[in-house]
Amino acid sequence: MLTFAEEILLLALDDQNGKIKPLPPQALRYALVGALLTELALLDRIDTDLDALKVINTEPTGDELLDLVLERLASSRTECGTTYWLTELAWHMRDLQDHVLQQLVNKSVLKIEDRKILWVFAVRRYPLMDDREVKEVKSRLRELIMSDNIPDPREAVLVSLVSACQLFDEIFTPEELNRLRPRIAELAKLDLIGREVSRSINEISLAVAASMPAMM
């Protein structure tokens, strides 16, 4: 079974060239952190509300990345909210994307392909070994969004994170997406961490857009 972080990264990966698709500024970084925090919440290691994120169980999960995040949360001397931890972890776990990519390589979902451009510049890509996993994620999301079913907690989380990264463009046609946006927005509100991820990404995008005239 893939983790939230692995599913998000698979959707963000271009099937054709093995590179990350263009996304809103810092979207993938925040979404991956949000995915890890949500995984810890579903494993009853942390609890979150509108004001605070609390560690309630420090027992290791057995997953290297999750345990790294759990240890960092537990070592904090002050109680901070979800938004604080999203930003703190997003900017200090700079190799997070590489870790998740390596996990997918270890699970034989991706393979590593090193190339040289003009025989000088090294480029690493991650082509799919088998597209079964990414097709399964897309199919599951399509079925949920196009139905009136109430999602389980894992599905609600995934919808929220995929929406924050604007990756539903990869799952639905433009016509379908226009029709389904209210349903997506409704489901995306069901997950607290996902809502905070989306808000953080929107704030960064607005800040970047506001800075553009000054840079021109």
Side-chain angles (χ1 to χ4, degrees):
M1 182 178 181
L2 298 182
T3 65
F4 288 128
E6 290 165 352
E7 289 182 326
I8 291 294
L9 197 47
L10 267 187
L11 291 174
L13 204 63
D14 191 305
D15 297 351
Q16 302 301 314
N17 59 28
K19 298 171 65 176
I20 300 298
K21 301 164 186 170
L23 298 175
Q26 309 305 329
L28 185 56
R29 183 181 293 186
Y30 274 80
L32 291 178
V33 172
L36 295 175
L37 292 177
T38 303
E39 206 85 55
L40 287 172
L42 291 178
L43 291 171
D44 295 323
R45 297 304 195 275
I46 64 173
D47 190 22
T48 61
D49 56 32
L50 293 175
D51 301 313
L53 185 153
K54 306 174 184 177
V55 175
I56 56 177
N57 184 353
T58 58
E59 181 183 353
T61 66
D63 180 286
E64 180 183 359
L65 273 178
L66 291 178
D67 291 339
L68 183 64
V69 173
L70 181 60
E71 183 179 350
R72 187 151 191 163
L73 296 174
S75 66
S76 177
R77 296 181 179 180
T78 57
E79 191 174 278
C80 302
T82 301
T83 301
Y84 168 85
W85 281 116
L86 280 172
T87 301
E88 174 72 12
L89 295 170
W91 289 102
H92 287 87
M93 295 183 70
R94 293 189 173 274
D95 56 352
L96 176 55
Q97 180 177 308
D98 291 337
H99 273 293
V100 179
L101 284 167
Q102 187 59 52
Q103 287 181 175
L104 288 166
V105 171
N106 294 341
K107 292 182 177 181
S108 299
V109 177
L110 302 177
K111 63 181 178 179
I112 297 175
E113 190 176 90
D114 291 318
R115 295 181 179 179
K116 292 239 185 229
I117 297 178
L118 300 177
W119 300 280
V120 176
F121 303 103
V123 175
R124 172 162 287 188
R125 297 177 179 177
Y126 293 85
L128 287 168
M129 292 277 287
D130 187 334
D131 63 358
R132 176 172 51 87
E133 286 83 1
V134 70
K135 282 183 176 179
E136 190 277 330
V137 176
K138 289 180 178 181
S139 176
R140 182 155 38 97
L141 285 170
R142 280 188 64 87
E143 183 177 347
L144 172 64
I145 300 299
M146 298 184 81
S147 73
D148 294 326
N149 296 338
I150 298 174
D152 64 29
R154 291 194 70 87
E155 290 173 331
V157 169
L158 192 56
V159 169
S160 189
L161 294 175
V162 171
S163 178
C165 288
Q166 299 179 16
L167 284 169
F168 277 114
D169 294 4
E170 308 296 326
I171 299 174
F172 297 107
T173 66
E175 293 77 16
E176 289 175 329
L177 198 53
N178 285 334
R179 177 167 53 87
L180 295 168
R181 283 191 192 280
R183 166 73 169 165
I184 292 172
E186 178 186 3
L187 296 182
K189 293 177 182 178
L190 297 177
D191 176 60
L192 173 62
I193 294 177
R195 291 205 309 268
E196 290 301 303
V197 169
S198 184
R199 189 176 67 81
S200 297
I201 292 171
N202 287 338
E203 287 180 356
I204 292 171
S205 296
L206 289 173
V208 170
S211 69
M212 292 303 289
M215 296 172 63
M216 297 175 64

